[in-house]
Amino acid sequence: MKSVLVVFLLSLTFVSCNNSESGFSQEFKENFTRECIKNAKVNLSTSEAERYCNCVLGIVMTKYGSGSEADEKMLEMSIKEVMDLVNPCQ
């Protein structure tokens, strides 16, 4: 579980440099998904990593109004808060 969480945080850190001011740009979504899958495949099969990362992206996009808001809020979250956020994707 913690290794998948680390994957998620690494993906968020990478994407934080590539977001738009309002909404979620296609670049944000593609970068998030690509980096998440790349990192998640260390612990998951490709299909499991794709499912997990698409699920997490969906949660992030539902909870936050933009890539910049997601970056700001999630980088301040505790590990427990992040785990709670991504728990539905496990």
Side-chain angles (χ1 to χ4, degrees):
M1 173 69 169
K2 286 190 178 187
S3 58
V4 173
L5 176 62
V6 170
V7 165
F8 175 71
L9 291 174
L10 288 172
S11 299
L12 180 64
T13 301
F14 174 79
V15 172
S16 68
C17 299
N18 296 301
N19 62 36
S20 63
E21 289 300 315
S22 63
F24 292 88
S25 69
Q26 189 63 30
E27 181 182 20
F28 177 95
K29 295 183 274 189
E30 289 171 359
N31 287 342
F32 181 94
T33 303
R34 181 183 59 249
E35 291 302 309
C36 180
I37 291 170
K38 180 174 82 175
N39 291 305
K41 285 174 36 177
V42 171
N43 299 305
L44 303 171
S45 70
T46 299
S47 62
E48 290 171 325
E50 289 171 351
R51 182 199 60 78
Y52 172 78
C53 294
N54 286 327
C55 177
V56 171
L57 179 60
I59 289 172
V60 168
M61 291 176 64
T62 299
K63 183 168 178 76
Y64 302 106
S66 69
S68 59
E69 179 187 4
D71 290 338
E72 178 184 329
K73 300 290 185 184
M74 294 179 71
L75 289 173
E76 296 173 354
M77 293 174 111
S78 69
I79 290 176
K80 181 182 179 342
E81 290 170 323
V82 173
M83 290 175 70
D84 290 344
L85 178 72
V86 302
N87 188 51
C89 299
Q90 300 302 317

